[in-house]
Amino acid sequence: MALTQEFRFAARMLAKNKGWTAMAVLALALGLGANVAIFSTVGLMLWPPVPYPEPDRLVFLPLTNPQRGISNGSASLPDLRDWASASAIASIGAVRMRPAALSAQGEAQYVPALQVTPEVLPLLRVSPARGRAFLPSETPETDSRVVLISHELWQGQFRGEAAVVGRDLRVNGAKYTVVGVLPEKFRFLYQPVEIVTPLALSRTQQDRDWRGLRPIARLRPGVTVAQAAAEIRAISERIERENARAGKGWRGDVRPLADMMIGKSARTAACTMFGAVAFVLLIACANIASLVLARGTQRRREMALRASLGASRGLLVRLQLIESVLLSVLGGAVGIVSAYWTIPVLKRVAPPEMGLFDVAALDWHALVFGLALSAATGLIFGIVPALLLTGGDLAPVLQEASRGSSGGRHVFLRSLVAVEMALSLVLAAVSTLQVRSILRQASGDAGFDRTNLAVGSVTLPRSRYPGDAQVRAFYVRALENLRRDAGVEAAALVNTLPLSGAVNHTAVRVEGQDPRDERFAGEMIVSPGYFQAMRIPRLAGRDFSEADGAESQPVAMVNETFVRRFWPKESSALGQRLQMGPGKTSITVVGVVRDVHHTNVGEPPHPEVYRPHAQPADPGMMLVARGRGGAGRAITAIRAAVAEVDREQPVFRLGSMEAYLYNRGSGERATAQVTGFLAVLALALAAVGTYGVMAYSVAQRLREIGIRMALGATAGNVFSMVLRGGVVPAAIGMLLGFPAAYGAVGLLRALDPGINPRDSASYAGVAAILFAVALAACAIPAWRATRVNAISVLRDE
């Protein structure tokens, strides 16, 4: 009963001070609402729900090779067969997610497609809505021409015909028979899928040296991930003993299937946003604590009166805590409502490839999280002010007014200002450096000229281009068509675009050096004319030519970093010989080109080797064309050049180089946008908190200020005295925030290597903004202090 009355009293006190309550609830709502919204969306990147039955038994099996720096590699078909014998594995299969060319009415187009072994759908517990799944006989060795189509494709292209099973469909230029329809809204780990075909591998792709599969498995009941991983590693060690050449250093691992959905960089980004929003909540807590203390100044007489009537300190503390918890629940309720409106905004900011965010919602998990966080926040910001306001001898308060304040309260309040400024500096510095990194990536010198460039990807299906000769012939004709276009200045092929981040690293050994000294370099496959089309300067030797064919001497060009790393004492790299790839092919260096950034402008270039496309014929290539006067004409020319060779071969990711790079940076931009918004929010909260502290300080020092003015102190003296009281702790907080910001930015380099933690200009700019905010927050209470009427204050005493 007494507790109910105390809650009613706390509610009346909050209602009595509507302005103060509204300010406190708003500050809490901003901090709590941001946390709930981030928990509901970004939290999916840390704890992604697996959308299949018994998710705890579903795993994926990556290959690792510490010697090559590989921690999440793809596996080979023989690896899959060997791992299937593990007693921990109930069922194992492999998947490849890649677009397929679908020929329907009009022009062929790429659609998201999944290639699987027959075991995959059963182990995921997915059954076709119509027709059948793949048969055990439809293995990677058989090249079976059957297909499962999505519910959307069935309703669209086949108009929902009941007799769709048995119909034909042209996939990658070959005829496939529809054997089933997938369930409605089927996704593979939240990625859209239009068609599913049996995995088909060429004879070369069935070797252990070819690692291009992503194995997934279902564990037997009662088996843990750690137990399965130990057994898989033991099998890998046995493979290495039996086949040292192909198995050297490779180890299989077992991880939850949820880890397959979210990469390391995405998890790092999620941790960054969670850390940022936690800082906002801490600032909000410090903010409210300062407001509670400021308001408590006017309530000291009330507490002294209660104490004189027999109230214990425990009761007084409890009254304060009840009011704080009630305030936090109100703030949490408003915050949850604001999170409901914020979640759709965060989903729009998210990278388009993150299909996981489609399931983000304000569900009961988020509500429980919000309410628990609200209660905890009320205790956090309420306990210390309650102890300070009820501490000491309260009896003199009934006889004295504004004689001064406890030194403990002053120290605590100044500490709150320092904490708020330090946390705000960290957030603002992180956000600023992220934005500057994105700007450098967009405009920095990556070693090539990105203006007027058009790019388009082509992946030739082995069903129609089974041999290297057919692959080479297709690309030769496509390039000829492209170069004939009057709107194209230059055109070429490359397997990995600059700044794409998708670099294929291969083992390289220099002939004549220690055979054990095997290092790794990026391998780029290009056509003759690539360096001219990209305007990459050649520094020595010659370019590739049409004479560098399949039957001629293998040749390569290397970049500057490769020369410095492999031949630091040689006068020239020309004529040097390398051994690369599984077969240790001997290759002669014929040219040296300028360094090009293939990962990030802010990251140092890596050693790279360029090889002519005619020698290692790759079916998946990028066409690049420099347009005359713009990329638009070149985009049209790429599409036409490919269609002229093969009308059933579409081009995907077709657009300007600028657009390609912009889309690639969507993840970094989303992180920067969220942390930037949180940094602005932190600045606003810090300003309100500093203002509250200074208002409290002025209220506590009215008698002192009155005496000073009575003794001749000018308004300027009082203004500067009060201003110093707020600016000094703010400056101390910023000084403490600098090393914390430097450490936080250093951790962020795992997400974006282009971030420069030693960017002094950014730190200086952020500090200047924060200092201006602190000055503005202190100026209003300082100005009010100059308006104190000394006679009235002393008369009250």
Side-chain angles (χ1 to χ4, degrees):
M1 187 65 179
L3 190 61
T4 302
Q5 291 177 343
E6 290 167 2
F7 267 102
R8 288 177 178 171
F9 174 76
R12 286 198 302 271
M13 293 303 296
L14 292 178
K16 182 180 178 181
N17 297 272
K18 294 182 177 62
W20 181 91
T21 302
M23 182 182 296
V25 168
L26 178 61
L28 272 174
L30 292 174
L32 291 169
N35 273 268
V36 173
I38 293 293
F39 174 84
S40 301
T41 52
V42 179
L44 294 173
M45 295 163 62
L46 297 179
W47 310 285
V50 178
Y52 307 110
E54 301 175 299
D56 55 317
R57 290 173 54 196
L58 291 173
V59 296
F60 82 106
L61 293 82
L63 271 178
T64 65
N65 193 321
Q67 298 174 358
R68 302 191 179 193
I70 297 174
S71 60
N72 188 23
S74 300
S76 66
L77 186 62
D79 290 326
L80 192 76
R81 302 288 191 246
D82 291 328
W83 294 340
S85 64
S87 60
I89 303 294
S91 178
I92 186 172
V95 301
R96 292 180 76 195
M97 189 78 181
R98 56 171 45 194
L102 183 63
S103 301
Q105 294 86 359
E107 185 176 284
Q109 61 181 345
Y110 275 111
V111 296
L114 185 67
Q115 300 177 12
V116 301
T117 58
E119 302 85 0
V120 168
L121 293 181
L123 73 84
L124 293 177
R125 304 292 191 260
V126 174
S127 300
R130 287 174 174 269
R132 65 169 176 85
F134 299 137
L135 302 176
S137 59
E138 292 166 341
T139 64
E141 298 89 346
T142 59
D143 190 20
S144 303
R145 302 292 176 88
V146 294
V147 61
L148 292 167
I149 63 174
S150 69
H151 181 272
E152 292 77 12
L153 186 59
W154 173 48
Q155 292 294 318
Q157 182 168 335
F158 293 98
R159 298 179 177 84
E161 296 177 11
V164 65
V165 175
R167 295 283 300 274
D168 290 337
L169 195 66
R170 290 191 67 80
V171 179
N172 293 328
K175 187 177 74 172
Y176 278 67
T177 301
V178 176
V179 296
V181 178
L182 293 165
E184 188 174 358
K185 297 181 180 179
F186 170 78
R187 299 288 186 271
F188 178 69
L189 300 180
Y190 298 104
Q191 296 301 311
V193 175
E194 289 289 334
I195 59 174
V196 180
T197 60
L199 179 66
L201 301 178
S202 66
R203 187 173 298 278
T204 303
Q205 292 174 328
Q206 296 171 28
D207 294 338
R208 195 177 295 277
D209 285 333
W210 187 87
R211 299 179 173 93
L213 305 180
R214 301 297 279 177
I216 62 175
R218 181 174 288 273
L219 301 180
R220 296 189 185 278
V223 176
T224 65
V225 172
Q227 290 170 338
E231 189 173 2
I232 294 298
R233 280 193 294 271
I235 293 174
S236 299
E237 291 170 359
R238 174 178 59 79
I239 294 171
E240 183 176 16
R241 289 193 299 269
E242 296 173 355
N243 189 345
R245 184 189 65 81
K248 183 180 179 181
W250 295 100
R251 296 289 183 274
D253 197 8
V254 178
R255 301 172 192 169
L257 189 61
D259 291 353
M260 186 177 176
M261 290 187 275
I262 305 297
K264 181 180 177 181
S265 61
R267 289 182 183 274
T268 304
C271 291
T272 299
M273 287 182 272
F274 261 106
V277 81
F279 275 25
V280 170
L281 184 60
L282 287 175
I283 293 172
C285 287
N287 197 322
I288 302 304
S290 64
L291 291 175
V292 169
L293 269 180
R295 179 168 171 263
T297 303
Q298 286 76 38
R299 299 186 62 188
R300 291 274 288 171
R301 280 179 172 272
E302 172 200 331
M303 296 178 198
L305 182 60
R306 285 177 177 273
S308 67
L309 294 176
S312 65
R313 189 186 185 194
L315 174 61
L316 296 178
V317 170
R318 189 168 72 243
L319 286 172
Q320 290 290 309
L321 283 180
I322 288 174
E323 190 172 315
S324 297
V325 171
L326 186 57
L327 188 66
S328 68
V329 170
L330 288 173
V334 177
I336 289 173
V337 173
S338 69
Y340 177 80
W341 298 103
T342 305
I343 289 173
V345 177
L346 289 175
K347 290 169 72 171
R348 286 196 295 271
V349 170
E353 66 272 12
M354 294 293 289
L356 177 63
F357 283 125
D358 291 342
V359 300
L362 191 66
D363 56 11
W364 70 270
H365 297 92
L367 293 176
V368 171
F369 173 78
L371 292 175
L373 196 61
S374 300
T377 300
L379 294 175
I380 290 172
F381 75 70
I383 186 65
V384 176
L387 293 174
L388 287 174
L389 289 170
T390 59
D393 187 6
L394 296 176
V397 177
L398 295 175
Q399 290 84 33
E400 298 181 2
S402 302
R403 184 171 295 278
S405 63
S406 165
R409 290 196 293 275
H410 270 306
V411 171
F412 179 68
L413 279 170
R414 292 192 179 107
S415 299
L416 289 178
V417 171
V419 167
E420 290 188 55
M421 287 298 167
L423 294 176
S424 298
L425 179 68
V426 173
L427 268 183
V430 165
S431 174
T432 301
L433 290 172
Q434 283 180 320
V435 171
R436 284 176 66 87
S437 173
I438 292 171
L439 293 176
R440 276 196 301 271
Q441 188 79 358
S443 60
D445 183 11
F448 72 101
D449 183 358
R450 66 184 82 187
T451 59
N452 300 334
L453 270 181
V455 298
S457 294
V458 174
T459 300
L460 299 180
R462 285 296 186 183
S463 59
R464 302 182 67 236
Y465 298 90
D468 289 351
Q470 290 94 332
V471 170
R472 282 192 290 267
F474 172 89
Y475 283 114
V476 166
R477 290 183 59 195
L479 275 181
E480 288 175 351
N481 297 337
L482 191 54
R483 289 167 177 165
R484 281 199 304 267
D485 193 291
V488 173
E489 178 183 330
L493 301 171
V494 65
N495 67 332
T496 301
L497 283 173
L499 297 179
S500 67
V503 180
N504 177 38
H505 289 89
T506 186
V508 178
R509 188 177 69 81
V510 176
E511 291 186 5
Q513 296 183 6
D514 189 342
R516 295 169 297 180
D517 188 16
E518 186 176 73
R519 287 174 279 185
F520 292 89
E523 183 181 23
M524 314 299 167
I525 309 299
V526 302
S527 68
Y530 171 73
F531 301 107
Q532 290 88 343
M534 301 295 285
R535 294 179 181 169
I536 300 171
R538 188 174 73 251
L539 306 179
R542 69 172 178 86
D543 197 351
F544 297 135
S545 69
E546 302 302 332
D548 297 315
E551 305 301 326
S552 60
Q553 167 66 37
V555 294
M557 300 176 71
V558 297
N559 67 342
E560 299 170 88
T561 300
F562 191 100
V563 175
R564 288 193 295 268
R565 186 78 54 85
F566 286 81
W567 300 293
K569 299 179 181 179
E570 300 291 337
S571 59
S572 174
L574 302 180
Q576 299 284 353
R577 300 179 71 84
L578 308 173
Q579 290 185 356
M580 295 176 58
K584 302 301 180 186
T585 304
S586 181
I587 302 170
T588 302
V589 176
V590 298
V592 179
V593 296
R594 181 190 178 190
D595 283 336
V596 175
H597 294 271
H598 278 87
T599 52
N600 193 295
V601 171
E603 187 176 356
H606 301 285
E608 292 171 349
V609 180
Y610 295 88
R611 300 189 63 192
H613 180 259
Q615 293 183 350
D618 191 335
M621 298 294 289
M622 300 284 291
L623 285 161
V624 296
R626 186 173 298 280
R628 300 183 188 276
R633 176 68 181 272
I635 292 172
T636 304
I638 289 176
R639 182 184 290 109
V642 171
E644 190 175 342
V645 181
D646 185 348
R647 297 196 63 81
E648 290 191 296
Q649 180 58 55
V651 184
F652 68 109
R653 295 181 195 157
L654 180 61
S656 68
M657 185 71 179
E658 298 287 356
Y660 177 88
L661 296 178
Y662 181 84
N663 292 333
R664 181 183 173 267
S666 59
E668 291 83 357
R669 283 198 310 278
T671 305
Q673 286 175 320
V674 173
T675 54
F677 168 75
L678 294 175
V680 172
L681 188 59
L683 285 175
L685 290 174
V688 172
T690 304
Y691 171 82
V693 168
M694 295 312 299
Y696 165 82
S697 177
V698 170
Q700 287 290 86
R701 300 175 67 182
L702 284 178
R703 181 176 182 274
E704 175 195 343
I705 292 170
I707 292 174
R708 285 177 178 272
M709 298 187 73
L711 294 176
T714 65
N717 298 141
V718 172
F719 185 87
S720 61
M721 177 190 69
V722 175
L723 201 64
R724 282 196 305 274
V727 170
V728 170
I732 293 174
M734 285 188 282
L735 289 175
L736 295 175
F738 278 121
Y742 184 84
V745 172
L747 293 175
L748 269 183
R749 284 179 64 83
L751 170 65
D752 182 0
I755 289 179
N756 180 14
R758 296 176 179 169
D759 188 349
S760 56
S762 295
Y763 291 116
V766 168
I769 293 173
L770 272 177
F771 194 74
V773 169
L775 279 177
C778 297
I780 296 176
W783 177 79
R784 287 180 176 173
T786 64
R787 317 303 295 175
V788 170
N789 188 321
I791 296 175
S792 299
V793 171
L794 295 178
R795 183 185 298 123
D796 290 341
E797 288 291 322

